[in-house]
Structures are given as structure tokens and as C-alpha cells.
Amino acid sequence: MRELSYAEALRECLRQTMTADERVFMIGEDIGIYGGAFGVSAGLLAEFGKERIIDTPISEAGLAGACIGAALTGMRPVGEIQFMDFVALSMEQIVLQAAKIRFMFGGKATVPMVLRMPGGSGTGAAAQHSESLENWFVHVPGLKVVMPSNAYDAKGLLRAAIYDDNPVIFVEHKLLYRTKADVPEEPYEVPLGKSKIVREGSDLTIVATSIMVQRTLQAAEQLAQENIEVEIIDPRTIKPLDSAPIIDSVKKTGRALVVHEAVKMGGFGGEVVSQIVASEAFDYLEAPVRRLAGLDTPIPYNRTLEYHAVPQVENIVDEARKLVQGGY
Amino acid sequence: MTSKHSTQPDYQTYLQAWGQEKALALLKEMLVIRTFEEKAEELYALGKVHGTMHLSIGQEASAAGASLALRESDYLLNHHRGHGHCLAWGSDVNLMMAEFLGKETGYCRGRGGSMHIANVEANNLGANGIVGGGIPIAVGVGLSIKLRKTDQVVIVMFGDGAANEGAFHESLNMASIWKLPIIYYCENNQYAMSMAVKRAFNIERISQRACAYGIPGVTMDGNDLFAVYAAVSEAVERARAGNGPTLVEAETYRWRGHSKSDRQAYRTREEVKAWQKKDPIRHYARALGLDDAGMERYRAEASEIIDQAVAFAEASPEPSIDTILEGVYA
Ligand SMILES: Cc1ncc(C[n+]2csc(CCOP(=O)(O)OP(=O)(O)O)c2C)c(N)n1
Ligand SMILES: [Mg+2]
């Protein structure tokens, strides 16, 4: 099978979906001739024209609202927020409108829209261009939140998100855009709300999201050399969360660690931990359930500080080792 | 209230009022800005900078002319393309360069970087990575000035793109109804990243928007330091006199790409070249009676200043990892 980068996989999904379905269109800042800040829509303007690859002025509230209105009236818009940070300017439309319209209207309306946005640090873009805000949306009934960790999932999850009848927040990661994976040419869906066991192991369950799945895979290789076998679960959709495979895994390993880039306090990891300890897996636990996540700080500009603000491979290795060797 | 395009001021009147030394200082200031950014570009190419940057090469007269109309006690808020504004505000070029290189000695201890340089002690309330982010903050600064009953004013600088954020509308209206001492200073460099002003607005001049808020609007040649100074001075006078805000629009052009990852497919080389003929620094030098050769020694002086700044920055320490949580809370 051929390899595609994460960005190419997303683009292929967009191209295929837009070719097959007139209702799908893209809207965002600099997605046309510029091809998107991270190149996801490169070339699509030439293919689909400016009626369906719509460049907006710098107006994030307007952009989100445009998606909602179009979705309410039969279209399937895919909005792009240039950096996840800027979604702060769209929050009213997303949280107070998109998420609730269906409910408030007694289930008689649908808002089938996707808002794609790259989160995460690691590019030296500093505090206002490096946020990981996914848990803001997890807290809002009516929204779904997707976080692909690789090119294969990116293509399939995006299609599932476009065909979902709910507003979906689709969180990409800047450092993943160039990472490659085998990606089938034909269109396919990776269903929303299904976790994936990325690696099997018997000593410790690690639940990781987005780029942390890649870092955890690297950590697992190192740990395997010390005879520590890690089982890695990628929820892929953090809302709805498919927790059954996580709970089953913890029953098997007796230990759990959650790894994400977003700030630990109030982060998604807290939800995973509570679902584990509230389940039958509790009786199987041999160690405290731990979280490894971003420090409680905005992302610093300085390269070294930026590096240390979020979990890296060596932190995952240390934490996993400590958990397995009874360090807690 | 109306919006207008300003006419070319009489250069000689200004030059006589300023005197030789001040007139030359302005030329040097613009050359330092240009050289700072050329050096920034070079350092980036050498892989010494982690992150991105936004260069204002070609927009120097806008920064220098606007600052000239303000006092040290006034306030500045600016945006991501802000090296020029910051230097024109009288900032220390060493501390700026150190910040650019992420060093502990930088204005923001290496935490902020190119997009977030601030010097609160000097009433420079900082650049902003969020387009339009400073526009509402200016309302608060204006309000505070009014409540404290000082004769200060605040200038908030932003791009054409920022004028299409919703916050622009809310802020200008509030500033108008409360008659706040604010200069809304829009650097219209014809593009917001790849979005041409022509595509993003259905009006001829951005300053026309002022009419909707009942405040004056003025557009001037942002590459003409004298025209910038004249327009901003008028707005400052009005603000200081308690008559409220003005929307000032500087027509200019960025010579470089939006940031380092811009292939510039949205504009032609010819267009860039045409604007480069309107080089704001050369234009000003000519008014001083200097040709390129005459400018050379000031260029060399600027290079020396910038080289020293790089030496200072490179010799400066990195922030230490144990300080990573410092500065999050007071
Ligand atoms: C709220 C927000 N939206 C989008 C961006 C990404 N972005 C940064 S600068 C820029 C263009 C800004 O254009 P303009 O305001 O005209 O300033 P210029 O860059 O031309 O100086 C964009 C889209 C951002 N930083 N913040
Ligand atoms: Mg602009």
C-alpha cells in the first residue's frame, strides 16, 4: 500500500468527499490559494473553485456561524480554524449555538458540521499558537471531539466526522502533518467512538491521544528492551469515549497511565482515570492510576522550555518504569 | 463624521521644526528597523531561530512616523508584525534581539519571542499573536486613562486583517460612545496573509468604517513618514483634548512573505517591485537631500548596532529549566 502523510491523507479525504458529495465544502482562512497554513487544502482551490473552497476574512466567529447556518440547511461544511488557539474566538457559536440547537429544537434540527483545527506545541510558535484545548469541547453536551494520531485514522475519521449528523471538533496536530502511514486509496470510514488498541502488552495500559500516541509507541520500544510490555490504547474519539477497551485492558495489566499534551489540571486524563477507577477494573489495580500531561503553564517560546512543558518520550519511559516497578 | 484621504504635507515645514539632528535620528531609526529585520531573516536562515516571525520590511515609515507623534508617557499596543513599532517606541535593541533568540535577558525572558515583545515599564503593552487581540484591550487602557484623569493617550496598531474581527466593531463603538483617548492605527499592507484587502472588504478605504461609529477616519500614505506623522498627530491632539478616538489607516506594503512559510502565490513579483519603488526609507532620505551614497554611513551605523545586539543576544544565557513555571501567576 502507498504511504501518505497525515496532511495528504486529510486532503485525499476532502477531495474524495467533495467530489462525491455536493453538500460538502470547505471554509476557512487562507485555505484557497495559500492552501491552508499547514498545506492541508493545497491544490483544492484549483480543483473545486472558490465557491467550494471558501477563503474568509479573519473572522472566526463568522466562520463558525457560517458552518452552522449551512449545516442547518442541508450542507455538510468543513471549517478550518487556522490554529486551534483561534477557536477561542468562535466559542459562542460552537458552544452556545452549534452544540445545543438540535436539543433546543426538540431534536428536529441537525448540525452536521466539522471544524478542523491544529493544536499542540513544538513549532516555537509560543503561547498563542500552541494550545491544546480539546477538553473545553469535551465538557459541552452536543459536541463530538476527534483526535487522529496518524495518517490512516486521519483520513477515515474525517470522513466519519463529515457524515456524522452532529457538530464535530476535529483536532489535528501540527507535528503530525508530515508523519506518514499506509493509507488505502479508496474512501473508508474509521467510526467515531471506537478506541483502538495500538500495541498489546501485559504490564501497563497507557491511554494516549494525538501526538502522544506516537511518543508512547517510541517509549514502548525502549521499555520492551527492559522487559516492560506496554499496552497502548488510542481513543481516537475523546467524545464519545469508548472506555470499554480501556477498562478491559486495565483488568489485564493492573496498571494505567494516561498521556496527553494538554495541561494536566482539568484535562481529558482526569476523565479517563475516573472512568477506570469507577469501573470493575478498580479491583484489579496494582498501582495508583497516573497521568502524564502538560505543565500548568502557557507554552513558552524558548525551545528548551517549550520542550519541557509537555510530555516527551523519555518522560513516558520514566513514568511507565516507575509505575511498573512499584515506584508509586 | 467623515473619512478622508490626507494630502501630502509640506516636508520642509516639518524638517525645519525638527532640526537636523532629530530629522537624521528618524532616518537612523528606520534603518535600524530595516537592519534588525534583515538580520532576523538571516539568523532564521542559519537555523538559529525556533519558531516563526513576521517582517515589516517596507513599512518602516509607518512605525517611525506614528511613534513620533506620541509621548513617552503614552501607551502602545501592537501586533505580530511589531518589531518596527517596538523599536520606534525606543526599545533596547539588545533586549529585543535577545528575546528573538529566546534568551533569559530578552524583554520577556525568552518566553514570548518575536510575536510577543512587550516592555510594560515603558508603557509598551505588547505585541499580540492573536489578530485583533489588542483592539479591545485599548478600550480598557483608554478607560483607565479617563478614570485616572491623566492626559495620556493609547495607540493600538493592527493590520487590515484585524479590522474584520468582530472585536473591532465592539471596541470602536465603545471607544466612541465613551470618547476614549485612543488612536486606532490600521496598517493596511494590502494583505492579511494571502487574503487581499480587495477581497476582504467591499469599501474603498478601511478608514471609512469610522463613519459608522461616529468618529473621524483618515487614510494616508503609510510610506511617507511626514504624512504618517501629520495624520497621527491630529488624532493624538483630538484624543488628548478629550474628543475621543480616531481611526487612522496607513497605506503600505509588506515586502516579504507573511511569515517564513509563505510562497506568495497570491501576488505577483511586479506588484512587489512596484511597491519597492516606494521605499519609505529612501523616500525620507530624499527629503533630507540624501542619495543612496549619502545614506551609506547611516546604514553602516545601523549594521554595527545590530551586530552588537546579536553578539549580546548570543552571549546571553538560556532560561533555566527550573524556572519553567515562573511568571504564570503573580
Ligand atoms: C484570531 C487569529 N486569526 C488568525 C490568525 C493567523 N494570522 C496571523 S497574522 C494573519 C494575517 C494578519 O493580517 P493583518 O491583520 O492584515 O496583519 P499583517 O500580517 O498583514 O501585518 C493571520 C491570518 C491569528 N494569529 N489570530
Ligand atoms: Mg495586512
Side-chain angles (χ1 to χ4, degrees):
Chain A
M1 202 184 295
R2 79 223 151 112
E3 282 199 327
L4 284 190
S5 73
Y6 189 90
E8 288 164 345
L10 290 166
R11 188 185 313 135
E12 187 165 271
C13 171
L14 289 162
R15 179 184 294 121
Q16 289 174 342
T17 324
M18 285 183 64
T19 303
D21 191 336
E22 293 274 303
R23 296 172 301 172
V24 183
F25 69 93
M26 286 186 75
I27 181 166
E29 292 162 10
D30 305 289
I31 62 170
I33 184 83
Y34 198 97
F38 295 91
V40 171
S41 55
L44 296 185
L45 174 68
E47 239 169 289
F48 296 101
K50 61 184 194 316
E51 243 96 86
R52 294 181 73 200
I53 301 291
I54 305 173
D55 263 345
T56 70
I58 311 181
S59 309
E60 289 80 9
L63 189 173
C67 289
I68 299 172
L72 263 174
T73 50
M75 305 298 282
R76 291 196 172 261
V78 179
E80 177 173 299
I81 300 287
Q82 200 167 77
F83 283 70
M84 184 180 210
D85 314 59
F86 315 153
V87 80
L89 286 84
S90 317
M91 286 308 269
E92 186 276 323
Q93 289 289 308
I94 298 172
V95 176
L96 302 174
Q97 309 297 339
K100 305 176 169 42
I101 283 177
R102 180 182 178 80
F103 175 81
M104 295 188 300
F105 296 178
K108 293 183 184 172
T110 52
V111 187
M113 60 179 271
V114 181
L115 264 189
R116 299 177 33 248
M117 56 195 80
S121 62
T123 66
Q128 293 175 332
H129 287 71
S130 307
E131 299 261 26
S132 300
L133 303 173
E134 59 271 13
N135 219 42
W136 281 8
F137 303 101
V138 169
H139 201 60
V140 179
L143 299 178
K144 293 189 176 180
V145 187
V146 179
M147 293 187 87
S149 69
N150 62 78
Y152 175 88
D153 285 349
K155 182 175 171 185
L157 286 168
L158 183 55
R159 189 179 167 86
I162 292 171
Y163 283 109
D164 195 278
D165 278 337
N166 299 286
V168 178
I169 305 299
F170 196 89
V171 185
E172 299 162 12
H173 197 292
K174 301 176 191 85
L175 298 184
L176 288 176
Y177 282 125
R178 292 190 186 164
T179 60
K180 296 201 164 184
D182 287 345
V183 177
E185 255 166 73
E186 67 279 5
Y188 59 92
E189 281 193 19
V190 170
L192 305 190
K194 277 216 97 41
S195 298
K196 183 178 176 191
I197 299 172
V198 188
R199 184 187 195 280
E200 293 191 20
S202 51
D203 298 320
L204 165 68
T205 301
I206 301 187
V207 179
T209 58
S210 188
I211 190 153
M212 292 302 157
V213 176
Q214 304 305 334
R215 292 193 187 150
T216 304
L217 277 164
Q218 287 177 48
E221 292 305 308
Q222 292 183 33
L223 290 158
Q225 287 166 17
E226 304 173 20
N227 291 322
I228 296 175
E229 291 300 336
V230 172
E231 181 143 300
I232 305 173
I233 300 183
D234 176 0
R236 302 193 291 197
T237 308
I238 63 172
K239 185 171 195 173
L241 174 63
D242 173 25
S243 53
I246 300 171
I247 289 161
D248 287 345
S249 174
V250 178
K251 281 161 73 179
K252 178 172 83 174
T253 62
R255 298 180 186 90
L257 170 66
V258 190
V259 188
H260 59 63
E261 174 163 351
V263 168
K264 186 193 276 182
M265 163 113 28
F268 172 68
E271 180 59 36
V272 178
V273 172
S274 14
Q275 295 211 17
I276 293 170
V277 298
S279 77
E280 70 266 22
F282 182 77
D283 290 332
Y284 296 78
L285 286 173
E286 290 171 35
V289 183
R290 305 276 305 173
R291 289 175 295 162
L292 189 62
L295 297 182
D296 200 9
T297 173
I299 299 296
Y301 171 70
N302 173 275
R303 191 196 296 252
T304 311
L305 295 187
E306 182 192 35
Y307 183 86
H308 288 281
V310 302
Q312 302 294 344
V313 176
E314 57 272 24
N315 308 122
I316 303 171
V317 170
D318 290 347
E319 188 69 15
R321 192 190 287 126
K322 205 165 163 191
L323 248 174
V324 171
Q325 294 176 347
Y328 288 109
Chain B
M1 288 289 173
T2 53
S3 114
K4 61 176 184 189
H5 199 297
S6 76
T7 48
Q8 186 178 317
D10 176 23
Y11 298 172
Q12 289 315 316
T13 315
Y14 283 120
L15 288 174
Q16 270 158 26
W18 295 340
Q20 171 94 358
E21 199 180 326
K22 181 165 169 181
L24 271 178
L26 286 164
L27 176 67
K28 291 184 203 172
E29 181 176 298
M30 288 196 284
L31 285 168
V32 166
I33 296 172
R34 170 94 35 111
T35 316
F36 181 93
E37 295 204 311
E38 285 170 350
K39 183 59 81 176
E41 208 171 22
E42 188 185 318
L43 293 169
Y44 191 92
L46 290 171
K48 293 188 179 181
V49 186
H50 177 55
T52 190
M53 63 184 171
H54 305 88
L55 303 175
S56 67
I57 295 178
Q59 305 181 193
E60 295 86 353
S62 167
S67 285
L68 184 63
L70 292 148
R71 297 180 186 159
E72 254 179 46
S73 53
D74 294 330
Y75 292 100
L76 168 71
L77 287 155
N78 69 320
H79 69 321
H80 58 281
R81 200 172 302 288
H83 301 147
H85 312 143
C86 191
L87 284 163
W89 199 253
S91 304
D92 183 326
V93 65
N94 288 3
L95 306 192
M96 277 185 65
M97 192 60 84
E99 187 58 35
F100 183 59
L101 293 187
K103 298 303 182 81
E104 181 67 33
T105 52
Y107 268 120
C108 308
R109 302 182 63 200
R111 271 70 170 172
S114 158
M115 252 190 297
H116 306 296
I117 300 179
N119 181 14
V120 178
E121 279 166 34
N123 290 357
N124 169 359
L125 303 180
N128 211 309
I130 297 303
V131 169
I135 297 176
I137 298 176
V139 173
V141 177
L143 196 57
S144 145
I145 292 170
K146 207 170 169 185
L147 293 171
R148 289 183 286 113
K149 299 186 173 57
T150 70
D151 68 349
Q152 295 162 292
V153 303
V154 53
I155 186 166
V156 53
M157 299 173 148
F158 50 92
D160 44 280
N164 281 329
E165 285 285 12
F168 172 90
H169 166 71
E170 297 183 15
S171 306
L172 268 73
N173 187 55
M174 289 163 94
S176 171
I177 59 173
W178 296 333
K179 279 200 170 27
L180 300 180
I182 305 176
I183 296 90
Y184 280 101
Y185 188 77
C186 179
E187 278 185 333
N188 175 357
N189 59 6
Q190 316 306 324
Y191 292 92
M193 216 159 140
S194 67
M195 176 58 92
V197 166
K198 288 190 204 80
R199 288 202 292 144
F201 295 82
N202 236 343
I203 48 178
E204 202 180 316
R205 297 186 307 274
I206 295 173
S207 70
Q208 285 173 276
R209 293 223 173 140
C211 305
Y213 307 109
I215 63 174
V218 58
T219 299
M220 74 290 184
D221 179 353
N223 284 4
D224 177 355
L225 183 140
F226 302 98
V228 173
Y229 175 69
V232 178
S233 296
E234 200 181 324
V236 168
E237 221 168 276
R238 181 180 142 83
R240 249 192 252 291
N243 295 324
T246 303
L247 175 58
V248 182
E249 175 190 12
E251 284 178 323
T252 182
Y253 198 81
R254 75 167 146 71
W255 291 11
R256 297 297 196 266
H258 166 72
S259 66
K260 288 321 288 177
S261 41
D262 182 359
R263 287 176 298 110
Q264 304 182 54
Y266 51 85
R267 65 184 187 182
T268 62
R269 246 175 242 286
E270 290 67 44
E271 182 186 290
V272 179
K273 279 201 188 122
W275 274 93
Q276 284 176 337
K277 290 212 180 91
K278 300 188 239 178
D279 181 349
I281 302 184
R282 267 216 183 98
H283 182 79
Y284 181 72
R286 296 296 179 268
L288 298 190
L290 291 169
D291 59 9
D292 284 3
M295 251 187 352
E296 199 39 52
R297 66 176 252 242
Y298 303 110
R299 230 187 256 288
E301 268 177 41
S303 288
E304 214 164 287
I305 292 169
I306 298 302
D307 286 345
Q308 279 169 17
V310 173
F312 169 83
E314 290 195 320
S316 291
E318 298 268 332
S320 132
I321 297 168
D322 10 295
T323 65
I324 193 164
L325 292 176
E326 283 180 11
V328 181
Y329 292 98

